[in-house]
Amino acid sequence: MRRTYLSFCFALVLFISFLTSHAVLAATGPTFTLSISDHNQKPGDEISVTVKGDNFNDVYAYEVNLEFDNKLLKLKGAKAEQESGFSISPIVKGNKIQFAHTKVGKVAGDSGKISLCTFTFEPIDSGEAQFGLKDVKLVNSQLASSTLANSAIVSAHVDKVLTNEMNFKDILNHWAKEAILAAVKQGFVEGYPDQTFRPNNNVSRSEFVAMLIRALKIQPTGGSSLPFTDADQIPDWSKPFVSEAVKLGIVSGYEDNSFRSADPISRAELAVMIVKAFGLQVDWSAKASFADANDIPSWAVPHVAAAADAGFIQGRGNNLFAPNDKATRAEVVNLILSMLKHKGL
């Protein structure tokens, strides 16, 4: 109840500020800088970017708009540097982040030199990443607002921890070894702490959706409630990925409107999701050419046919597709990589 009230208050502050004084200012008033924590950084370390300013006068609320390299980094979190007040969870759209914070109650705004907020990123690939502060909206305690255009830019070299076959002691002679290493390098799948990859383990529905969204380099925006009857059984770490997949039309529930997060994904379900995710053209009258085509659920037949015709899925011997068998981690990464190559991603 308190969070809802504070959210309403913050939205009201921003709305009223637009009705009072709204101007885009040059860099003659407050000035902004970006500072980055790249000192003595090791591969795989998180990177923090802090938005700082000077010459502030009575800052009661603010909204920061930052751009980042979403091919090299993913946002882990954002926080206001002020101890009091209320923050709105960061909104991520592509390479753009919007973050806002406000004080609460009849108090004066901050003045002088202020650190506004800090964004924390996790490397998903290696390279030179750039961060750009596009603009900052300030609201004073009288609810007058101003938007300050800005061009503060900072860059840092980021390194994703790469893995080779010596780190995974269980893939040395596995048929999917190269695909596994390529998938780990691209950052959409990881190994286990005991230096295994477990290529023959089944993949749960939540795990597969997370791999797929990461492979597409989509940063989940969150914020949408999940429509499934068993949404409370979906692990917190996977909820943003599942939510994003639902919004994109990649995944849906079962007839009873459950998602069944922990269930191993079947090869038929895998084919349908992968075809939807990568926009492969589907011929709804097509028939699968596998020997066990009659065992393929009717809702999956056109998608299995499309994936097979494109050469992305194969049978498991004797031209059997085995639609109800469970997909392994090795099969999943091999299929996703094939689709990424097909799409030029």
Side-chain angles (χ1 to χ4, degrees):
M1 183 69 181
R2 176 175 172 77
R3 180 178 177 86
T4 302
Y5 172 75
L6 292 176
S7 298
F8 173 77
C9 290
F10 182 62
L12 187 63
V13 165
L14 291 182
F15 176 72
I16 294 175
S17 69
F18 271 104
L19 300 181
T20 52
S21 172
H22 184 255
V24 178
L25 305 180
T28 55
T31 57
F32 298 92
T33 58
L34 295 176
S35 64
I36 192 165
S37 62
D38 62 341
H39 304 293
N40 302 315
Q41 183 191 349
K42 299 177 182 178
D45 282 355
E46 294 178 353
I47 291 179
S48 295
V49 177
T50 301
V51 181
K52 300 179 179 180
D54 202 354
N55 300 321
F56 285 125
N57 181 29
D58 189 25
V59 176
Y60 186 85
Y62 60 81
E63 175 188 288
V64 172
N65 290 285
L66 185 79
E67 292 186 350
F68 71 106
D69 191 334
N70 62 339
K71 293 183 178 180
L72 301 181
L73 298 159
K74 69 176 180 180
L75 180 69
K76 289 203 68 177
K79 67 173 185 176
E81 292 298 317
Q82 296 75 32
E83 293 183 359
S84 62
F86 175 73
S87 298
I88 298 296
S89 297
I91 299 172
V92 182
K93 293 183 178 179
N95 70 329
K96 296 178 174 61
I97 308 170
Q98 185 180 76
F99 178 74
H101 180 81
T102 182
K103 292 179 177 294
V104 178
K106 294 182 178 181
V107 296
D110 296 324
S111 299
K113 185 178 293 186
I114 307 172
S115 291
L116 295 179
C117 56
T118 297
F119 300 92
T120 304
F121 300 90
E122 176 186 344
I124 57 175
D125 206 344
S126 300
E128 198 71 18
Q130 191 173 81
F131 307 87
L133 184 61
K134 303 309 295 180
D135 60 63
V136 178
K137 178 181 177 180
L138 302 176
V139 180
N140 67 21
S141 59
Q142 303 305 308
L143 304 185
S145 71
S146 58
T147 299
L148 289 80
N150 201 272
S151 58
I153 294 175
V154 67
S155 61
H157 185 79
V158 298
D159 284 306
K160 166 73 175 175
V161 175
L162 302 183
T163 308
N164 56 48
E165 59 266 35
M166 297 306 295
N167 295 109
F168 292 146
K169 54 191 177 185
D170 57 348
I171 69 167
L172 186 59
N173 297 311
H174 198 278
W175 64 268
K177 181 183 76 172
E178 296 304 322
I180 290 168
L181 296 179
V184 171
K185 182 176 180 180
Q186 291 198 26
F188 65 82
V189 69
E190 297 177 345
Y192 292 89
D194 62 355
Q195 293 186 314
T196 63
F197 185 78
R198 306 176 194 177
N200 300 321
N201 277 20
N202 292 333
V203 178
S204 74
R205 285 167 56 82
S206 274
E207 288 171 334
F208 176 70
V209 168
M211 289 184 200
L212 200 53
I213 296 300
R214 289 190 187 115
L216 292 170
K217 298 192 182 301
I218 297 172
Q219 181 69 44
T221 56
S224 298
S225 59
L226 292 168
F228 306 113
T229 55
D230 57 349
D232 60 335
Q233 297 177 31
I234 300 175
D236 288 341
W237 67 265
S238 68
K239 283 182 178 178
F241 298 103
V242 175
S243 176
E244 199 67 29
V246 170
K247 285 189 287 185
L248 294 172
I250 296 171
V251 65
S252 58
Y254 291 92
E255 291 181 357
D256 63 355
N257 202 33
S258 64
F259 181 69
R260 306 179 195 176
S261 169
D263 284 5
I265 191 167
S266 71
R267 285 168 54 82
E269 291 172 332
L270 177 77
V272 172
M273 290 188 201
I274 203 93
V275 167
K276 288 181 178 179
F278 286 93
L280 201 62
Q281 188 170 358
V282 175
D283 179 358
W284 295 99
S285 63
K287 302 295 182 182
S289 59
F290 295 104
D292 57 350
N294 291 335
D295 296 334
I296 301 174
S298 58
W299 49 264
V301 169
H303 299 84
V304 172
D309 289 346
F312 299 127
I313 59 173
Q314 295 83 35
R316 282 186 163 178
N318 299 320
N319 195 33
L320 297 174
F321 178 65
N324 298 313
D325 283 5
K326 309 310 177 187
T328 68
R329 284 166 59 81
E331 289 173 329
V332 165
V333 299
N334 191 59
L335 178 55
I336 292 177
L337 286 171
S338 295
M339 294 301 293
L340 288 172
K341 183 177 181 181
H342 174 73
K343 288 295 184 180
L345 300 175

